[in-house]
Amino acid sequence: NYRPFSHYPAMSRDVSLWVNEGTTKESVQAVLEEKAGELRVRTTFVDEFTIDGRTSYAFRLVFQAPDRTLTDEEINPIMDGVYAAVTENGWEAR
């Protein structure tokens, strides 16, 4: 569906984490997107590598509001929730 683009700047946050072998990047991305909420406009898969039975995934979350410039004070609590979900899933932020 078409949505008008925002005239306000976007803000991005990178998330890198270790997951156990067999965890797919799609499942990780789904959790990150759910926790990032409505201000998240895009998620980009950045990197993947495996060593010693663990896989590292990196994603970039992009946030943007249609009516204002976002601040760190708005995004930091969202990212706290994202990192809490990482821990709840047994993954390790790096």
Side-chain angles (χ1 to χ4, degrees):
N1 293 334
Y2 173 77
R3 278 187 354 188
F5 66 90
S6 176
H7 294 282
Y8 296 91
M11 178 182 287
S12 64
R13 293 287 191 270
D14 292 343
V15 178
S16 298
L17 51 115
W18 290 108
V19 299
N20 295 325
E21 194 170 0
T23 303
T24 65
K25 67 182 173 192
E26 293 81 11
S27 64
V28 173
Q29 183 171 340
V31 169
L32 297 178
E33 289 177 349
E34 177 187 343
K35 293 300 179 179
E38 294 179 9
L39 293 175
R40 183 202 57 83
V41 294
R42 184 172 55 255
T43 303
T44 305
F45 177 71
V46 178
D47 189 33
E48 171 184 357
F49 68 91
T50 302
I51 189 168
D52 297 330
R54 293 193 323 168
T55 301
S56 173
Y57 293 130
F59 295 88
R60 174 163 290 141
L61 301 173
V62 179
F63 300 92
Q64 191 172 33
D67 59 345
R68 67 189 184 285
T69 298
L70 296 173
T71 64
D72 286 333
E73 289 75 26
E74 290 176 277
I75 299 304
N76 288 343
I78 294 170
M79 290 306 298
D80 290 342
V82 167
Y83 285 116
V86 166
T87 302
E88 289 169 8
N89 280 282
W91 306 327
E92 179 186 344
R94 56 178 200 92

